[in-house]
């Protein structure tokens, strides 16, 4: 009986959390920058969940070969494990932002104190590695709620969403299909969501950059697209 009660309570809590949260595209709790159509023939490539010691390195080589600068939303735990790689990302002219410390599925369920800690720990890890304190923040899973909104305000972070999701994390989908899907959704000033932890991320980016060049579309970083500061002074 007690078990049933606990399970029902857990379900009710989870349902409440879902009810009380909003997607990154909804300005209900938190206004996020998701696109800038007036920017013209330019898009911003963003890579979440890294850095990954193998895949991010492969990706950096592709970006360097194409002379493209991107924006990386890093998790603090990956930064702490790979500080040298984070420095390389910055030295090569890319921009880094906050994607929480542990990227836990429970992040939207945390109280204010723990939410602030997740965000602050990630910013601190990036600052320790690069001497730069990030302002850009991408919520994991694109979920926002009043607690996240308060924490973001407290830490003066700038929430960044996306307008094109690549679905590159679904490993069964063939690369050509992932690419075709992104191309169908392409628009001026788009923010494209990719993941540098995924196998094949470098190859997908290579194909994407080729396709963008054929169409005469430039790439830029998030701070330049929205004309905002990527780091605190
Ligand atoms: Zn993520």
């Amino acid at each position: 009986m007690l078990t049933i009660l606990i399970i029902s309570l857990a379900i009710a809590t989870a349902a409440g959390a879902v009810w009380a949260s909003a997607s990154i595209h909804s300005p209900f709790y938190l206004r996020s920058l998701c696109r800038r159509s007036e920017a013209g023939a330019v898009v911003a490539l963003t890579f979440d969940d890294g850095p990954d010691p193998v895949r991010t390195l492969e990706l950096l080589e592709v970006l360097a070969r194409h002379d493209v600068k991107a924006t990386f939303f890093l998790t603090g735990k990956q930064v702490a494990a790979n500080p040298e790689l984070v420095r390389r990302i910055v030295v090569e002219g890319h921009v880094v932002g906050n994607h929480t410390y542990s990227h836990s599925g429970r992040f939207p369920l945390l109280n204010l104190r723990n939410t602030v800690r997740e965000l602050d720990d990630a910013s601190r890890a990036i600052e320790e590695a690069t001497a730069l304190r990030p302002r850009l923040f991408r919520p994991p899973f694109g979920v926002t709620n009043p607690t996240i909104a308060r924490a973001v305000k407290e830490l003066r972070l700038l929430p960044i969403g996306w307008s094109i999701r690549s679905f590159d994390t679904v490993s069964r989908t063939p690369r050509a299909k992932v690419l075709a899907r992104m191309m169908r959704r392409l628009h001026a000033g788009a923010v494209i969501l990719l993941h540098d932890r995924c196998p094949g991320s470098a190859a997908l980016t290579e194909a994407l950059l080729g396709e963008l060049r054929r169409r005469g579309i430039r790439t830029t970083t998030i701070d330049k697209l929205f004309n905002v500061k990527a780091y605190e002074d």
Side-chain angles (χ1 to χ4, degrees):
M1 189 60 200
L2 185 64
T3 322
I4 291 168
L5 185 68
I6 290 168
I7 290 171
S8 340
L9 265 175
I11 291 169
T13 310
V18 169
W19 178 81
S21 61
S23 107
I24 195 82
H25 302 289
S26 153
F28 194 61
Y29 297 120
L30 197 60
R31 190 173 291 280
S32 306
L33 301 173
C34 295
R35 60 169 70 210
R36 187 155 176 261
S37 308
E38 63 271 32
V42 63
V43 298
L45 303 195
T46 66
F47 294 92
D48 286 14
D49 301 355
D52 178 274
V54 176
R55 287 157 192 166
T56 305
L57 270 181
E58 292 169 356
L59 175 64
L60 285 176
E61 277 165 30
V62 169
L63 294 174
R65 215 176 320 121
H66 287 262
D67 195 23
V68 159
K69 309 300 178 205
T71 306
F72 291 80
F73 289 98
L74 309 171
T75 67
K77 64 175 180 198
Q78 288 298 102
V79 171
N82 306 281
E84 199 60 52
L85 183 50
V86 180
R87 280 192 283 281
R88 181 168 161 184
I89 293 173
V90 170
V91 165
E92 294 192 5
H94 307 291
V95 168
V96 294
N98 184 324
H99 194 43
T100 73
Y101 191 86
S102 42
H103 203 286
S104 157
R106 288 180 42 79
F107 177 69
L109 305 173
L110 299 178
N111 63 21
L112 180 62
R113 199 169 67 100
N114 290 330
T115 305
V116 167
R117 183 183 296 164
E118 267 290 323
L119 298 180
D120 195 35
D121 284 355
S123 285
R124 209 172 300 183
I126 292 171
E127 199 175 359
E128 272 169 26
T130 64
L132 297 166
R133 175 114 185 149
R135 286 187 70 229
L136 310 178
F137 163 62
R138 172 165 285 157
F141 324 108
V143 172
T144 62
N145 64 34
T147 310
I148 297 172
R150 276 185 67 186
V152 159
K153 207 173 160 195
E154 207 167 288
L155 294 169
R156 297 189 307 275
L157 291 166
L158 192 57
I160 306 296
W162 60 83
S163 62
I164 300 176
R165 199 178 153 192
S166 61
F167 291 99
D168 57 345
T169 49
V170 187
S171 58
R172 290 184 311 273
T173 317
R175 189 184 311 140
K177 209 171 165 187
V178 172
L179 186 63
R181 191 183 178 282
M182 282 193 279
M183 287 301 122
R184 276 199 306 277
R185 284 164 174 73
L186 201 63
H187 63 88
V191 175
I192 303 180
L193 169 65
L194 298 145
H195 294 84
D196 52 332
R197 70 172 154 82
C198 292
S201 170
L204 175 63
T205 304
E206 178 93 62
L208 173 61
L209 290 174
E211 202 52 52
L212 291 174
R213 199 176 39 226
R214 265 191 289 283
R215 294 169 190 228
I217 296 164
R218 291 183 301 113
T219 55
T220 190
T221 49
I222 287 293
D223 56 326
K224 291 199 175 114
L225 179 65
F226 293 107
N227 198 18
V228 295
K229 277 195 295 182
Y231 308 107
E232 287 194 1
D233 293 327

